[in-house]
Amino acid sequence: MAGAERRRSTVWGKIRAVRCEDVKEWCVRRLPILEWVPIYDWKENLVPDAVSGMMLAIQQVTQGLAFAALSSVHPVFGLYGSFFPVIIYAIFGMGHHVATGTFALTSLISANAVERLVPSTGTNFTANNNSGVLGLSEFEMQRIGVAAAVSFLGGIIQVAMFTLHLGHATFLLTEPVISAMTTGAATHVVTSQVKYLLGMKMPYISGPLGFFHIYAYIFENIRSVQLEALLLSLLSIVVLVLVKELNEKFQRNIKIVLPIDLVLIIATSTACCYADMEYVYGLEVVGHIPQGLPPPKLPAMNVLSEVVTEAFGVALVGYVASLALAQSSAKRFKYTVDDNQEFLAHGLSNVIPSFFFCIPSAAAMGRTALLYSTGARTQVACLISCALVLVVIYTIGAMLYWLPMCVLASIIVVGLKGMLMQFRDLKKYWNVDKIDWSIWVTTYMFTICFAANVGLLYGVVCTIVIVIFRFPRAKTLNLKNMKEVEYKYKTEENCESLKQVKIVTVSNPLVFLNARKFHADLMKIIQKDGTSSQACEDVNKCEQNTLLCSFSNGSCHGESLQPCQSEQCVLILDCSGLNFFDYTGVSMLLQIYMDCKNRHIEVLLACCKASLIKAMQYGGNLESENPIFFESVSSAIDASQIPRKYSKFSEQSEV
């Protein structure tokens, strides 16, 4: 009894210890909208956000219709998927330029569950049996029930991963693995649209090696190709590619690009209506589009146990693709993204919209690139697009009845251009690290032969195994991972002008496992030195010796040096112990070089292997008037024009 009372008193003590500041901090951390809305600059940001929101709404509508068809559900559910998830992510997400909504890869994964549990019976989108909700047939409502169940369970899995803090394990998702998986999945999506492009009637084919079975079926039934659909598809693809290339070429000269997707939809729908192509030529069209938002309804809970595989695929593939875009935008526009918070944001963006007949959602590369090109500043652009999508749902949606399905398929294929162009990454992986190249190729093949989630799992496991086998072979004879020595001197011409040199010895391999930690610890010291100040006469008293351990718990030992604000700094990286590296490691070195350059810190690299010099020169533009690679540390010191009179320094190390 006494123990229970002590536990109760302990709990009440913790509750009373919670301060209002703690609650406010927690709310801001979990609801990022509370952080950026109060400081939103309406005068500076509203106009570019409004322009970006209008362009984004056009793409949301077209991709929503197309990806809903890809998910084997009625196209109207894609419009709902372009509205509800966007609002949820704007509240919980941290990516300022991440445009969530319908996504090709998650739609393709959910289509497996839809076709397996509610197989096609020859009913197409033009069937108008008003026996179900929204004026759609019971068949269509059963299909969206399965897709919504996949979205619901996938979101629950993402929220569970957030609770377990698995977002911090995303360092295992290397760039080659993500690139190969998304490229392979994009290839699957293009393959799934071939039947619409050719106007063929064919059964749904999936499973292991289903990619090859689809093309085998097409070649066996090549005589059933519908010439009208093929010609319209080719014309649509040519127009889309040509106009989008022109938009990219002249986007600096024009503020608003031509919304060719919308123009194509209007033109082909009008032509199909007046020429009666549905009945004269037998073209498959979208059909009836219900108006208004649906009332909330619980997803089909009775099928949750049967869609576990697809739900895991949606949770992992959607999160990985979205996180890559969020990190890319954060790096480009210099803000931070919490990997674990993104799990929560995307999880809720799948769970809550599933009650409104939404298919699984994620961020798409095309929409994010559109926000870049149109100058979006914040998530307000996405919220404005939601308002315009709502207008389409209530007023314009019914006019899309005559939109040909082959045109939607063309929009999907052209929209995947960015992912398919990742084939060009093979050249840089080959020049930087041939093992990364082999991981890319094999991950792509596994994705093609099986599925995106299988390819992702293979890529992660393969990367871990290779690193485990490579680390024991590293020549780590020096027990010290890193050491830092500082030289300080006074110039003869001006005692106020000081120059600080840091020599950091790297004696560990630099790969994806420790690249972020290496960058974080190095930048932490530079930031401390850059924001502190000290009198010039006390400079020689400051001596620091710091060990940067790549696999430590993140703490930096040592006392930070505090230079004068007038100092010029030189960072010398002794790479004699850098035995091997991968593409992520080289990218991190290039990022450190650029970060230091922006801080007016000169970076010199000493004792580099020829392969490292070649990889860095190939991987980035090392623009510098003076050479940055040197044969030894002493030659790098001489190149930095340091006088021979150095102050005393002590050297300590930690193992």
Side-chain angles (χ1 to χ4, degrees):
M1 192 67 180
E5 291 181 357
R6 281 197 300 270
R7 284 193 296 270
R8 281 197 297 269
S9 62
T10 302
V11 171
W12 278 110
K14 291 181 178 180
I15 293 175
R16 284 193 293 267
V18 175
R19 299 173 299 174
C20 294
E21 291 79 6
D22 298 331
V23 175
K24 182 179 179 180
E25 181 183 355
W26 184 90
C27 292
V28 171
R29 189 168 67 249
R30 295 300 170 224
L31 297 170
I33 192 173
L34 299 178
E35 181 178 0
W36 61 265
V37 165
I39 60 174
Y40 183 77
D41 191 338
W42 295 90
K43 184 178 180 180
E44 292 290 332
N45 298 336
L46 185 59
V47 173
D49 282 342
V51 173
S52 299
M54 289 187 289
M55 301 303 298
L56 178 61
I58 296 172
Q59 197 167 67
Q60 286 278 28
V61 170
T62 55
Q63 290 189 350
L65 295 171
F67 294 155
L70 178 61
S71 192
S72 296
V73 299
H74 194 282
V76 71
F77 299 117
L79 296 179
Y80 304 152
S82 300
F83 176 73
F84 290 104
V86 181
I87 297 176
I88 303 301
Y89 183 83
I91 297 174
F92 294 94
M94 300 185 69
H96 299 176
H97 300 80
V98 175
T100 55
T102 55
F103 185 45
L105 307 188
T106 55
S107 297
L108 185 65
I109 294 173
S110 66
N112 293 333
V114 172
E115 293 288 350
R116 187 181 74 251
L117 298 178
V118 189
S120 177
T121 57
T123 305
N124 58 30
F125 293 128
T126 61
N128 190 9
N129 180 7
N130 298 341
S131 60
V133 185
L134 299 172
L136 299 175
S137 65
E138 189 64 30
F139 171 77
E140 293 295 347
M141 299 310 299
Q142 290 177 0
R143 288 199 148 196
I144 187 56
V146 174
V150 174
S151 177
F152 175 81
L153 186 56
I156 291 296
I157 293 172
Q158 289 175 327
V159 173
M161 290 180 174
F162 158 77
T163 305
L164 297 174
H165 295 276
L166 295 183
H168 301 300
T170 54
F171 68 90
L172 296 173
L173 304 172
T174 63
E175 183 177 329
V177 171
I178 296 175
S179 174
M181 183 273 294
T182 53
T183 307
T187 309
H188 270 299
V189 173
V190 172
T191 301
S192 69
Q193 296 304 295
V194 171
K195 63 179 181 180
Y196 295 117
L197 297 174
L198 301 178
M200 294 181 62
K201 303 293 183 182
M202 61 181 295
Y204 184 81
I205 301 175
S206 63
L209 303 180
F211 174 84
F212 304 100
H213 293 314
I214 291 176
Y215 286 105
Y217 181 91
I218 291 173
F219 285 115
E220 290 175 0
N221 300 271
I222 196 67
R223 294 182 180 273
S224 63
V225 172
Q226 192 176 11
L227 184 60
E228 295 81 5
L230 176 59
L231 292 176
L232 185 56
S233 299
L234 290 176
L235 179 62
S236 300
I237 291 175
V238 170
V239 171
L240 287 169
V241 171
L242 181 61
V243 175
K244 289 190 176 185
E245 287 292 332
L246 292 175
N247 283 339
E248 291 180 5
K249 184 177 181 180
F250 297 105
Q251 66 179 0
R252 293 184 178 180
N253 300 326
I254 55 177
K255 294 184 178 180
I256 302 179
V257 298
L258 177 64
I260 185 58
D261 293 356
L262 179 64
V263 173
L264 184 64
I265 287 176
I266 295 175
T268 53
S269 300
T270 304
C272 184
C273 176
Y274 282 98
D276 202 11
M277 294 183 181
E278 181 186 9
Y279 300 105
V280 175
Y281 301 108
L283 284 182
E284 187 176 358
V285 298
V286 169
H288 171 63
I289 300 290
Q291 291 184 339
L293 293 175
K297 182 181 178 182
L298 195 68
M301 296 297 178
N302 58 319
V303 300
L304 290 182
S305 59
E306 302 181 64
V307 298
V308 173
T309 303
E310 288 80 9
F312 267 102
V314 164
L316 295 177
V317 174
Y319 173 75
V320 169
S322 302
L323 181 64
L325 294 174
Q327 291 176 338
S328 175
S329 64
K331 180 179 178 181
R332 179 169 181 171
F333 296 98
K334 303 186 186 310
Y335 59 88
T336 58
V337 170
D338 185 349
D339 298 350
N340 206 50
Q341 177 67 20
E342 290 297 289
F343 256 134
L344 176 64
H346 288 289
L348 295 178
S349 297
N350 277 313
V351 172
I352 298 176
S354 67
F355 291 85
F356 296 91
F357 304 99
C358 291
I359 59 178
S361 66
M365 182 183 296
R367 295 193 295 265
T368 301
L370 177 67
L371 291 179
Y372 290 168
S373 61
T374 53
R377 304 289 179 82
T378 66
Q379 295 97 317
V380 171
C382 298
L383 295 177
I384 292 175
S385 74
C386 287
L388 298 177
V389 170
L390 192 63
V391 173
V392 173
I393 292 174
Y394 273 96
T395 59
I396 308 175
M399 302 179 186
L400 300 173
Y401 178 97
W402 298 100
L403 177 61
M405 293 300 298
C406 61
V407 175
L408 274 183
S410 302
I411 293 174
I412 291 177
V413 171
V414 176
L416 294 172
K417 174 190 170 185
M419 289 186 181
L420 295 174
M421 292 300 287
Q422 292 178 135
F423 276 110
R424 296 183 298 184
D425 294 344
L426 283 172
K427 183 179 179 181
K428 68 180 181 182
Y429 294 136
W430 178 265
N431 284 279
V432 175
D433 185 17
K434 292 178 176 58
I435 293 182
D436 276 345
W437 180 89
S438 63
I439 291 176
W440 197 102
V441 173
T442 53
T443 301
Y444 176 81
M445 293 305 300
F446 263 78
T447 304
I448 288 295
C449 295
F450 300 99
N453 51 346
V454 177
L456 180 64
L457 179 62
Y458 165 80
V460 171
V461 173
C462 184
T463 303
I464 294 174
V465 171
I466 288 177
V467 170
I468 289 175
F469 277 94
R470 290 176 78 181
F471 259 96
R473 297 173 58 189
K475 299 178 182 179
T476 53
L477 299 178
N478 187 358
L479 296 179
K480 292 178 288 187
N481 291 326
M482 280 185 167
K483 64 180 180 179
E484 183 180 8
V485 182
E486 300 203 351
Y487 297 88
K488 303 295 280 182
Y489 72 95
K490 294 183 179 180
T491 62
E492 298 176 356
E493 299 177 358
N494 187 358
C495 66
E496 297 295 331
S497 176
L498 299 175
K499 193 168 187 178
Q500 174 191 6
V501 175
K502 293 187 176 185
I503 304 176
V504 178
T505 300
V506 186
S507 56
N508 261 338
L510 190 58
V511 293
F512 73 96
L513 285 174
N514 62 345
R516 288 189 185 180
K517 184 65 176 57
F518 173 77
H519 176 269
D521 285 346
L522 196 58
M523 289 297 106
K524 187 181 296 183
I525 292 179
I526 293 175
Q527 288 172 357
K528 286 182 179 179
D529 291 347
T531 56
S532 58
S533 59
Q534 184 182 6
C536 292
E537 59 268 21
D538 295 332
V539 170
N540 291 332
K541 298 180 181 179
C542 297
E543 298 171 352
Q544 177 192 19
N545 301 279
T546 302
L547 173 68
L548 298 179
C549 181
S550 300
F551 296 97
S552 68
N553 59 4
S555 60
C556 291
H557 308 284
E559 189 174 330
S560 177
L561 181 66
Q562 299 177 347
C564 293
Q565 295 295 330
S566 62
E567 290 181 338
Q568 293 177 320
C569 298
V570 176
L571 173 64
I572 299 178
L573 292 179
D574 179 8
C575 301
S576 58
L578 189 55
N579 295 284
F580 70 83
F581 52 89
D582 63 2
Y583 181 82
T584 306
V586 173
S587 300
M588 194 59 66
L589 282 176
L590 292 171
Q591 183 177 342
I592 289 172
Y593 174 83
M594 296 307 299
D595 289 346
C596 291
K597 183 179 179 181
N598 294 334
R599 297 171 182 271
H600 305 289
I601 299 175
E602 185 180 6
V603 178
L604 307 178
L605 288 88
C607 306
C608 298
K609 293 179 172 57
S611 58
L612 177 60
I613 297 176
K614 179 182 177 182
M616 291 190 66
Q617 289 176 339
Y618 184 85
N621 297 323
L622 301 177
E623 300 177 356
S624 178
E625 298 178 358
N626 303 315
I628 64 171
F629 298 102
F630 297 91
E631 295 180 356
S632 63
V633 175
S634 59
S635 60
I637 294 175
D638 292 337
S640 63
Q641 299 179 355
I642 301 178
R644 293 300 178 183
K645 296 181 179 179
Y646 302 108
S647 63
K648 295 181 179 181
F649 64 90
S650 61
E651 180 177 345
Q652 300 175 355
S653 63
E654 298 180 11
V655 179

